Amino acid sequence: MAASVHYQIENVTKQFPMRKGTLQALDPVSLEIYQNEFVAILGTSGCGKSTLLRMLAGFTAPTTGQILSHGVPITGPGKDRGMVFQSYTLFPWMTVQKNVEYGLKQQKMEKSARAETARKYLNVVGLDGFADAYPKELSGGMKQRVAIARALAANPESLLLDEPFGALDTQTRSHMQELTLDVWRQYPKTIVMVTHDIEEAIFMADRIVVMRARPGSIKEIIDVDLPRDRDFYIKSDPAFLDYKRHINELIYEESLKLEQEALGA
Amino acid sequence: MKHPNKRVDATTSALAPQGKLSRNVYVVLAVVSFAAVFAVWALITNLGLVNADFMPTPQATVQSAIELFTEQHFLEDIRVSTYRVLMGFLISAVIAVPVGLLVGAYAPVNALIEPLMSFIRYLPATAFIPLFILWIGIDESEKIAVIIMGSLPQLLLMVAVDTQKVPHDLVEVSYTLGTKRSLVLWKVILPASLPYILDSLRMILGWAWTYVVVAEMVGASSGIGYMMIQSERMMVVGNIFVGLLAIGLLGLVFDCLFKLLDKLLFRWK
Ligand SMILES: Nc1ncnc2c1ncn2[C@@H]1O[C@H](COP(=O)(O)OP(=O)(O)OP(=O)(O)O)[C@@H](O)[C@H]1O
Ligand SMILES: [Mg+2]
């Protein structure tokens, strides 16, 4: 890939102050993410995936090191980096339609164009019928799909996804994976996605970053050398299964380490 | 609205914690509690268990009410008291809501105002009556000042807490969607905390009634509180009861209005 670098993560660490001492959430992490690349981050729970994503979003600053976007240090959140959170973050006082329109409204898009774009993305995530519903009337998976539609509709240069499909059933989940890839192909953008699902990572990403258990750091980066026009059937391709086996082993090693640590302590 | 499912869920059945009650049963129980208090009152007074000089029978109270309304312009007292309460309440709200929002949202404003208000709110508003009479006199503004003194600091602090209830996630996500930092208070924090603020306003309006009555008992010539203190001097206990009932009923009406407003405005809750 001859693309230019979008994000440079340079020796980034993160500590959180605790009641006693500090918690080392991330050991030094260095990573370059290219323009319009799809990167997936895998790792055991608590290894600092969300923390890394939050630093990319600009919500929290690295303790040491720095993160550059197009060569400029990230100092705060911005509309160039859309985000789908692990938790539910729809605006409860707005209908589903208004939620999806929100980003477009901030961009001063004209009202009818806004409504049309929102409808299009609600259709993409399969929630046409719920435009006038309020978030409290939706299931967890539906809320998450609206959040995805809201982030996609704003069409940011980059998307940060924190387990966006975690609350979805298997069918909806693979459907959403394909839809997200479709949107990404149509509107290329740099995507960094945290997930627990190895298959999902291989299916969607150009590169997969596997992290060590806490304190997190990069264990291995895997280039997913599969054709980019992936469809459902690739999931049973021998090459796909090889990746899966390999990553499974890496994750297993890490969880074993956690287990031994717990026994030793 | 008809319920499609008449069966009761086990965890929200009437007697379970956090359980639900059908609207009809709710109304019945509420009426029963009113009726019970009324019955006890009617019984002990009519059976002569208490001295009629100190507690009137319901019949005597009705008689007092009729006299008050027809001969002693009680309606005017009610109007005056309501006016004072609403003025004091509105002035408090107009100041406390925006400042409370700023206190809740911005740490420096919080540091400047929150500790000061926490101090002031512990000073009993009623203790300011002598001072206000000295400063302002005994006209309307003095009564309203007492209400503001009692309501504003409380309301301001409550609104600040309401604002802080808004999940930080919502603020963060709004930034990623292009909300400007200077507008996030207006676009996210205010709408998200509005239902809580309305509830705080409802509470404060209730307290405002307490303050107005006390203010009217000192250096006043009209109002429900004035009528009550006069009746005490002349030993007309029935009038005092009418005053109490009037305040209770007015409070109930305003409470219902707030609840209605909540239903109308916050369908999303
Ligand atoms: N704001 C915070 N204050 C203190 N500690 C934090 C904070 N945020 C995260 N941590 C700690 O940092 C570590 C990494 O957390 P993080 O949320 O990044 O994990 P994660 O990899 O996203 O886990 P999961 O897969 O369960 O979502 C955890 O040990 C967590 O307790
Ligand atoms: Mg996480």
Side-chain angles (χ1 to χ4, degrees):
Chain A
M1 191 182 280
S4 60
V5 174
H6 187 159
Y7 295 118
Q8 284 163 278
I9 302 172
E10 296 176 343
N11 291 311
V12 162
T13 69
K14 184 71 185 180
Q15 297 179 337
F16 290 107
M18 301 293 275
R19 246 160 305 168
K20 285 192 251 169
T22 56
L23 178 109
Q24 186 79 25
L26 278 182
D27 271 347
V29 168
S30 293
L31 176 68
E32 290 191 331
I33 296 170
Y34 301 100
Q35 185 80 44
N36 298 341
E37 188 184 19
F38 196 129
V39 171
I41 301 177
L42 277 171
T44 52
S45 178
C47 74
K49 304 181 295 294
S50 295
T51 304
L52 187 60
L53 213 59
R54 288 178 56 77
M55 290 192 288
L56 274 167
F59 297 142
T60 177
T63 306
T64 63
Q66 63 173 351
I67 304 183
L68 309 177
S69 170
H70 300 299
V72 184
I74 290 173
T75 55
K79 63 168 186 287
D80 56 315
R81 280 155 288 140
M83 178 137 176
V84 175
F85 286 65
Q86 198 171 352
S87 57
Y88 301 126
T89 54
L90 294 183
F91 301 127
W93 64 94
M94 290 182 191
T95 61
V96 164
Q97 171 85 17
K98 291 280 177 243
N99 260 284
V100 180
E101 280 183 29
Y102 184 87
L104 305 168
K105 196 170 172 186
Q106 308 316 304
Q107 297 167 17
K108 306 262 186 307
M109 185 189 273
E110 186 246 330
K111 200 170 173 190
S112 59
R114 207 160 77 204
E116 196 179 322
T117 312
R119 268 198 298 278
K120 181 176 117 190
Y121 281 96
L122 279 178
N123 176 273
V124 162
V125 299
L127 288 173
D128 302 275
F130 290 88
D132 295 323
Y134 283 102
K136 71 152 187 193
E137 296 160 329
L138 305 182
S139 74
M142 289 157 85
K143 281 183 204 158
Q144 204 59 348
R145 279 187 280 160
V146 178
I148 294 165
R150 182 175 63 178
L152 290 175
N155 195 22
E157 192 197 354
S158 167
L159 268 180
L160 308 171
L161 310 175
D162 198 348
E163 301 187 31
F165 313 129
L168 307 181
D169 62 279
T170 322
Q171 281 82 35
T172 317
R173 191 182 182 117
S174 46
H175 189 58
M176 287 299 298
Q177 291 167 358
E178 295 190 26
L179 291 172
T180 308
L181 286 181
D182 281 347
V183 173
W184 175 62
R185 283 186 202 107
Q186 205 179 341
Y187 304 99
K189 49 180 100 271
T190 312
I191 298 187
V192 184
M193 179 179 77
V194 168
T195 174
H196 276 294
D197 184 334
I198 297 172
E199 217 171 70
E200 175 171 288
I202 307 168
F203 180 67
M204 299 186 79
D206 296 315
R207 280 194 300 158
I208 298 171
V209 177
V210 179
M211 304 206 21
R212 291 196 185 87
R214 202 181 52 225
S217 62
I218 295 177
K219 185 177 172 77
E220 194 173 318
I221 299 176
I222 294 128
D223 283 298
V224 184
D225 199 5
L226 293 170
R228 214 32 277 196
D229 54 344
R230 300 167 197 173
D231 60 15
F232 178 76
Y233 297 101
I234 203 159
K235 290 184 182 175
S236 42
D237 189 281
F240 191 99
L241 295 173
D242 280 344
Y243 283 122
K244 194 170 161 183
R245 187 176 314 115
H246 177 58
I247 296 171
N248 241 325
E249 275 165 20
L250 295 177
I251 303 267
Y252 182 67
E253 278 171 27
E254 286 311 305
S255 46
L256 216 58
K257 232 169 52 188
L258 272 182
E259 231 169 83
Q260 273 157 0
E261 231 170 71
L263 285 176
Chain B
M1 195 168 65
K2 272 257 180 282
H3 283 278
N5 187 354
K6 276 271 178 190
R7 292 190 192 170
V8 179
D9 300 326
T11 58
T12 55
S13 68
L15 294 179
Q18 305 188 323
K20 291 187 171 66
L21 215 52
S22 84
R23 179 113 200 112
N24 292 341
V25 179
Y26 186 95
V27 171
V28 168
L29 288 181
V31 169
V32 163
S33 70
F34 272 92
V37 173
F38 182 83
V40 171
W41 175 30
L43 265 176
I44 58 174
T45 48
N46 280 305
L47 293 178
L49 297 178
V50 289
N51 187 333
D53 287 338
F54 297 123
M55 192 184 274
T57 60
Q59 311 87 285
T61 308
V62 170
Q63 195 54 46
S64 298
I66 293 171
E67 275 166 31
L68 274 174
F69 277 113
T70 53
E71 287 156 35
Q72 299 177 45
H73 48 264
F74 186 49
L75 216 51
E76 179 61 14
D77 284 325
I78 291 178
R79 193 195 63 77
V80 167
S81 293
T82 310
Y83 167 79
R84 289 168 180 160
V85 164
L86 289 182
M87 279 307 282
F89 171 75
L90 284 177
I91 294 172
S92 299
V94 163
I95 299 168
V97 171
V99 179
L101 274 166
L102 293 173
V103 168
Y106 292 102
V109 184
N110 189 301
L112 276 175
I113 294 178
E114 205 267 357
L116 180 67
M117 283 298 148
S118 300
F119 168 73
I120 293 177
R121 93 176 154 136
Y122 274 102
L123 309 176
T126 46
F128 279 83
I129 294 177
L131 196 60
F132 285 165
I133 290 179
L134 268 179
W135 286 353
I136 311 174
I138 53 166
D139 60 0
E140 288 308 285
S141 11
E142 181 260 335
K143 312 284 176 296
I144 293 170
V146 173
I147 296 170
I148 295 175
M149 190 65 213
S151 314
L152 195 149
Q154 293 283 0
L155 182 59
L156 196 152
L157 292 174
M158 283 161 87
V159 172
V161 171
D162 295 337
T163 323
Q164 286 161 344
K165 281 184 199 152
V166 178
H168 191 55
D169 282 0
L170 288 189
V171 173
E172 288 184 338
V173 85
S174 80
Y175 285 140
T176 70
L177 292 164
T179 312
K180 293 200 185 65
R181 224 162 68 168
S182 55
L183 290 179
V184 83
L185 182 61
W186 176 249
K187 291 197 169 177
V188 179
I189 296 178
L190 175 65
S193 55
L194 218 45
Y196 307 117
I197 294 178
L198 188 76
D199 212 46
S200 295
L201 287 170
R202 184 173 69 88
M203 305 273 295
I204 289 293
L205 184 58
W207 299 359
W209 276 102
T210 312
Y211 296 121
V212 80
V213 170
V214 180
E216 286 171 350
M217 289 184 175
V218 186
S221 52
S222 62
I224 302 175
Y226 169 73
M227 181 280 283
M228 287 166 80
I229 200 81
Q230 290 298 312
S231 305
E232 182 252 335
R233 285 183 190 132
M234 294 182 284
M235 284 293 286
V236 194
V237 72
N239 287 1
I240 299 181
F241 266 64
V242 176
L244 283 173
L245 286 171
I247 295 167
L249 286 174
L250 282 167
L252 204 60
V253 168
F254 280 110
D255 222 62
C256 287
L257 285 178
F258 266 102
K259 284 185 179 152
L260 192 71
L261 206 59
D262 181 79
K263 275 230 168 67
L264 290 176
L265 290 177
F266 307 123
R267 209 163 60 79
W268 54 268
K269 254 199 328 185

